Coordinates of all heavy atoms in Angstrom, one line a residue:
S28 N -23.5 -76.5 15.0 CA -23.4 -75.9 16.3 C -22.0 -76.4 16.9 O -21.4 -75.7 17.8 CB -24.5 -76.2 17.3 OG -24.6 -77.7 17.4
S29 N -21.5 -77.5 16.5 CA -20.3 -77.9 17.1 C -19.1 -77.2 16.7 O -18.0 -77.2 17.3 CB -20.0 -79.4 16.6 OG -19.8 -79.5 15.1
L30 N -19.3 -76.2 15.6 CA -18.1 -75.4 15.2 C -18.3 -74.0 15.9 O -17.5 -73.2 15.7 CB -18.2 -75.2 13.7 CG -17.9 -76.5 12.9 CD1 -18.0 -76.1 11.4 CD2 -16.6 -77.1 13.2
L31 N -19.3 -73.8 16.7 CA -19.6 -72.4 17.3 C -19.1 -72.3 18.7 O -19.2 -71.3 19.3 CB -21.0 -72.1 17.2 CG -21.5 -72.1 15.7 CD1 -23.1 -71.8 15.7 CD2 -20.8 -71.0 14.9
E32 N -18.6 -73.4 19.3 CA -18.1 -73.4 20.6 C -16.7 -74.0 20.7 O -16.4 -75.1 20.1 CB -19.0 -74.1 21.6 CG -20.4 -73.4 21.7 CD -21.2 -74.1 22.7 OE1 -20.7 -74.6 23.7 OE2 -22.5 -73.9 22.7
C33 N -15.8 -73.2 21.4 CA -14.5 -73.7 21.6 C -14.2 -74.3 22.9 O -15.0 -73.9 23.9 CB -13.5 -72.6 21.2 SG -13.6 -72.1 19.5
K34 N -13.2 -75.1 23.0 CA -12.7 -75.5 24.4 C -12.4 -74.3 25.2 O -11.9 -73.3 24.7 CB -11.6 -76.4 24.3 CG -11.8 -77.8 23.7 CD -10.6 -78.6 23.8 CE -10.8 -80.0 23.2 NZ -9.5 -80.8 23.2
D35 N -12.8 -74.3 26.6 CA -12.3 -73.3 27.4 C -10.9 -73.3 27.7 O -10.3 -74.5 27.7 CB -13.1 -73.4 28.8 CG -14.5 -73.2 28.7 OD1 -14.9 -72.4 27.8 OD2 -15.3 -73.8 29.5
A36 N -10.3 -72.1 27.9 CA -8.8 -72.1 28.3 C -8.8 -72.7 29.7 O -9.7 -72.6 30.5 CB -8.4 -70.7 28.3
P37 N -7.7 -73.4 29.9 CA -7.6 -74.0 31.3 C -7.3 -72.9 32.4 O -6.9 -71.9 32.0 CB -6.3 -74.9 31.1 CG -5.5 -74.3 30.1 CD -6.5 -73.7 29.1
A38 N -7.5 -73.4 33.6 CA -7.3 -72.5 34.7 C -5.7 -72.4 34.9 O -5.1 -73.4 34.7 CB -7.9 -73.1 36.0
V39 N -5.3 -71.2 35.3 CA -3.9 -71.0 35.6 C -3.6 -71.8 36.8 O -4.3 -71.8 37.9 CB -3.6 -69.6 35.7 CG1 -2.1 -69.3 36.1 CG2 -3.9 -68.8 34.5
P40 N -2.4 -72.6 36.8 CA -2.1 -73.4 38.0 C -1.8 -72.4 39.2 O -1.5 -71.2 39.0 CB -0.8 -74.0 37.6 CG -0.7 -74.0 36.1 CD -1.5 -72.7 35.6
A41 N -2.1 -72.9 40.4 CA -1.9 -72.1 41.6 C -0.5 -71.8 41.7 O 0.5 -72.5 41.3 CB -2.4 -73.0 42.8
K42 N -0.2 -70.7 42.4 CA 1.1 -70.2 42.6 C 1.9 -71.3 43.3 O 1.4 -71.9 44.3 CB 1.1 -68.9 43.4 CG 2.4 -68.3 43.6 CD 2.4 -67.0 44.3 CE 3.7 -66.3 44.3 NZ 3.7 -65.0 45.0
G43 N 3.1 -71.6 42.9 CA 3.9 -72.7 43.5 C 3.5 -74.1 43.0 O 4.0 -75.0 43.7
A44 N 2.7 -74.3 42.0 CA 2.2 -75.6 41.7 C 3.3 -76.5 41.2 O 3.2 -77.7 41.2 CB 1.0 -75.5 40.7
G45 N 4.4 -75.9 40.6 CA 5.3 -76.7 40.2 C 5.5 -76.8 38.7 O 4.5 -76.4 37.9
S46 N 6.6 -77.3 38.1 CA 6.8 -77.3 36.7 C 5.9 -78.3 35.9 O 5.6 -78.0 34.8 CB 8.3 -77.6 36.4 OG 8.6 -78.9 36.9
K47 N 5.5 -79.4 36.5 CA 4.5 -80.3 35.8 C 3.2 -79.7 35.6 O 2.7 -79.8 34.5 CB 4.4 -81.6 36.6 CG 3.5 -82.6 36.0 CD 3.5 -83.9 36.7 CE 2.6 -84.9 36.0 NZ 2.4 -86.2 36.7
A48 N 2.7 -79.0 36.6 CA 1.4 -78.3 36.4 C 1.6 -77.2 35.4 O 0.6 -77.0 34.5 CB 1.0 -77.7 37.7
A49 N 2.7 -76.5 35.4 CA 3.0 -75.5 34.4 C 3.0 -76.0 33.0 O 2.4 -75.5 32.0 CB 4.2 -74.6 34.7
A50 N 3.7 -77.2 32.8 CA 3.8 -77.8 31.6 C 2.4 -78.3 31.1 O 2.0 -78.1 29.9 CB 4.7 -79.0 31.6
N51 N 1.6 -78.9 31.9 CA 0.2 -79.3 31.6 C -0.6 -78.2 31.2 O -1.4 -78.3 30.2 CB -0.4 -80.2 32.7 CG 0.3 -81.5 32.9 OD1 0.8 -82.0 32.1 ND2 0.2 -81.9 34.1
F52 N -0.5 -77.1 31.9 CA -1.2 -75.8 31.5 C -0.9 -75.4 30.1 O -1.8 -75.1 29.3 CB -0.9 -74.7 32.5 CG -1.4 -73.4 32.1 CD1 -2.8 -73.1 32.2 CD2 -0.6 -72.4 31.5 CE1 -3.2 -71.9 31.8 CE2 -1.1 -71.1 31.2 CZ -2.5 -70.9 31.3
V53 N 0.4 -75.4 29.7 CA 0.8 -74.9 28.4 C 0.2 -75.9 27.4 O -0.3 -75.4 26.4 CB 2.3 -74.8 28.3 CG1 2.8 -74.6 26.8 CG2 2.8 -73.7 29.2
V54 N 0.3 -77.2 27.6 CA -0.2 -78.2 26.6 C -1.8 -78.0 26.5 O -2.3 -78.0 25.4 CB 0.1 -79.7 27.1 CG1 -0.7 -80.7 26.3 CG2 1.6 -79.8 27.0
D55 N -2.5 -77.8 27.6 CA -3.9 -77.6 27.6 C -4.3 -76.3 26.9 O -5.4 -76.3 26.3 CB -4.6 -77.7 29.0 CG -4.4 -79.1 29.6 OD1 -4.2 -80.2 28.8 OD2 -4.6 -79.3 30.8
L56 N -3.6 -75.3 27.1 CA -3.8 -74.0 26.6 C -3.7 -74.1 25.1 O -4.5 -73.6 24.3 CB -2.9 -72.9 27.1 CG -3.2 -71.5 26.8 CD1 -4.6 -71.1 27.2 CD2 -2.1 -70.6 27.3
Y57 N -2.6 -74.8 24.6 CA -2.4 -74.9 23.2 C -3.5 -75.8 22.7 O -4.0 -75.4 21.4 CB -1.1 -75.6 22.9 CG -0.8 -75.9 21.4 CD1 -0.4 -74.9 20.6 CD2 -1.1 -77.2 20.9 CE1 -0.3 -75.1 19.3 CE2 -1.0 -77.4 19.5 CZ -0.6 -76.4 18.7 OH -0.4 -76.6 17.3
D58 N -4.0 -76.8 23.3 CA -5.0 -77.6 22.8 C -6.3 -76.8 22.6 O -7.0 -77.0 21.6 CB -5.3 -78.8 23.8 CG -6.3 -79.7 23.3 OD1 -6.2 -80.3 22.1 OD2 -7.3 -80.0 24.1
A59 N -6.6 -76.0 23.5 CA -7.8 -75.1 23.5 C -7.7 -74.2 22.2 O -8.7 -73.9 21.5 CB -8.1 -74.3 24.7
H60 N -6.5 -73.6 22.1 CA -6.2 -72.7 20.9 C -6.4 -73.5 19.7 O -7.1 -73.0 18.7 CB -4.8 -72.1 21.0 CG -4.4 -71.6 19.6 ND1 -4.8 -70.4 19.2 CD2 -3.5 -72.1 18.8 CE1 -4.3 -70.2 17.9 NE2 -3.5 -71.3 17.7

């Protein structure tokens, strides 16, 4: 069962959140993929 569920995609940062939030989003999205 551990192979049948994947990590959720992260929430998109709020508009104007900044480059650090955008970078963290990209890293977390890649991790989920």
